Amino acid sequence: MFFEITILLFMTFDDAYARISALRTNLERVIRGKRAVIDLAISALLARGHLLIEDVPGVGKTTLAHGLAKSINCSFQRIQFTSDLLPSDVIGVTVYNQAAHSFEFRPGPLFANIVLADEINRATPKTQSALLEAMNDRQVSVDKETHRLPRPFMLLATQNPLEFSGTFPLPESQLDRFTMCLKMGYPHEQDERMIIQSLNSHLVMDSLSHVLTTGDVESLQDLAEKVRVDEDLVGYILAISNATRSHRAIRLGVSPRATMTIYRAAQAFALTAGRDYCIPDDIKYLSGPVFAHRIVAASGGIDQGMEAALSFLDEILSNIEVPV
């Protein structure tokens, strides 16, 4: 404990970048050719946020979550979301202990530092809602008792955007609690060639070593909050968010929670780049991952939501003066 507290007090930005680089290198052993995705995932972690990965099967969504957990000496749980999953299967249940003649709470798999909610949109809205308090307050309430989740805590959720049979779309209130929504994308040909020829790829995951402790992660999260964000960048964030709320083709713009989120995400992203200050490009780059899944277009099908939102954001960013 004393060692972790010492790190918290004396970690410098150079120390932080060295640890982040080690984490990035470790993840690149199992996620090839996706440095941008890896950096965004690390930024979400350092911003004390949660991550939604939306893409077709087989592109590495689950592997990213496993690799991140393996790289940190922390607890990890995977929950396979299905239509018959109950809230108690996720958060836990109170049972009667006959030996002690009292009721006791038995924690569910949500009580871990990193939790993978695989195919989250296959669970019913009732089960999905069991995650809301955990994502927002880092705690769960069962039978009038509040139970704190371990620190750090991060939820990584996956979903397939093309298969709607037997799924329940995430409500806007839950989407708003995800710091970022990412797409893995298909690998480049050379990277896919290496993946194909790596016959023992499962052994690489098993051989991943811990490069960070939970104390390191908390120290990095605290240090990220010290990254400087100039006042003109705050104005830039507000200009973008206000534009989404007044855009003629957008029915629901981003919330105040979203503006706070991109502020924290920009600090974390700057830290991953080895800087102790944010620049306008951080805000521009993060606008898509942080804002797009929160925007609801005035028209268009559900499968066009993200594409339309990204198009609106490009238009908005092109019309707003970048601070210098």
Side-chain angles (χ1 to χ4, degrees):
M1 178 62 71
F2 175 78
F3 177 69
E4 291 188 358
I5 292 175
T6 303
I7 291 177
L8 176 62
L9 293 176
F10 297 106
M11 181 181 285
T12 66
F13 282 98
D14 288 339
D15 294 333
Y17 186 65
R19 286 177 169 81
I20 292 169
S21 296
L23 177 58
R24 179 190 294 119
T25 301
N26 218 40
L27 287 172
E28 286 182 327
R29 293 180 60 197
V30 292
I31 302 292
R32 296 184 182 274
K34 296 295 179 183
R35 172 164 289 197
V37 173
I38 289 172
D39 283 347
L40 288 172
I42 294 174
S43 298
L45 171 67
L46 300 189
R48 305 182 195 274
H50 310 289
L51 186 61
L52 176 63
I53 310 174
E54 183 181 73
D55 216 322
V56 297
V59 294
K61 302 187 298 295
T62 304
T63 301
L64 176 59
H66 275 285
L68 187 61
K70 288 275 290 184
S71 300
I72 303 170
N73 189 13
C74 67
S75 55
F76 171 71
Q77 290 286 346
R78 174 179 177 173
I79 310 172
Q80 190 66 48
F81 277 60
T82 56
S83 59
D84 59 348
L85 193 73
L86 299 175
S88 58
D89 297 328
V90 176
I91 62 177
V93 64
T94 300
V95 299
Y96 184 72
N97 187 330
Q98 292 185 345
H101 300 289
S102 62
F103 287 93
E104 62 180 31
F105 175 68
R106 293 188 178 176
L110 194 61
F111 283 78
N113 294 116
I114 295 181
V115 178
L116 170 60
D118 212 2
E119 296 188 293
I120 188 174
N121 56 333
R122 291 198 175 278
T124 62
K126 182 177 182 179
T127 301
Q128 290 180 15
S129 66
L131 299 173
L132 294 178
E133 184 182 10
M135 296 175 69
N136 198 65
D137 302 321
R138 267 68 176 178
Q139 66 181 36
V140 296
S141 299
V142 180
D143 295 332
K144 301 181 181 179
E145 293 288 334
T146 299
H147 306 274
R148 300 294 300 180
L149 294 171
R151 295 176 56 188
F153 172 74
M154 183 183 192
L155 178 74
L156 289 94
T158 70
Q159 65 176 4
N160 179 358
L162 300 179
E163 188 176 353
F164 301 114
S165 177
T167 62
F168 303 86
L170 301 183
E172 285 76 13
S173 60
Q174 188 158 27
L175 288 172
D176 200 36
R177 285 169 168 81
F178 282 104
T179 301
M180 300 181 195
C181 179
L182 306 181
K183 289 184 179 293
M184 298 290 296
Y186 291 112
H188 295 297
E189 182 178 342
Q190 185 59 35
D191 294 314
E192 190 165 9
R193 183 185 299 273
M194 295 177 65
I195 294 171
I196 292 172
Q197 294 176 335
S198 178
L199 300 178
N200 296 322
S201 58
H202 64 284
L203 297 178
V204 177
M205 178 67 76
D206 294 338
S207 66
L208 279 187
S209 58
H210 305 313
V211 296
L212 293 178
T213 67
T214 54
D216 290 332
V217 174
E218 289 193 83
S219 299
L220 290 169
Q221 291 174 336
D222 290 338
L223 193 61
E225 293 177 349
K226 296 180 174 63
V227 171
R228 189 176 78 251
V229 184
D230 292 336
E231 190 64 32
D232 56 351
L233 289 184
V234 177
Y236 189 43
I237 292 173
L238 292 173
I240 298 170
S241 61
N242 287 328
T244 67
R245 299 165 188 168
S246 59
H247 196 285
R248 65 189 183 282
I250 295 178
R251 179 161 57 90
L252 179 65
V254 300
S255 66
R257 181 192 282 122
T259 58
M260 291 188 294
T261 297
I262 198 170
Y263 182 95
R264 307 290 181 231
Q267 290 178 306
F269 187 73
L271 188 62
T272 65
R275 289 183 273 107
D276 62 354
Y277 58 91
C278 290
I279 59 177
D281 282 347
D282 295 335
I283 309 300
K284 292 182 67 175
Y285 184 71
L286 291 170
S287 293
V290 176
F291 283 165
H293 64 287
R294 294 173 158 93
I295 291 175
V296 178
S299 61
I302 188 170
D303 58 330
Q304 300 174 339
M306 285 289 288
E307 288 75 11
L310 289 170
S311 176
F312 297 148
L313 284 170
D314 286 342
E315 177 190 339
I316 288 170
L317 290 170
S318 66
N319 292 327
I320 294 178
E321 183 178 355
V322 179
V324 293

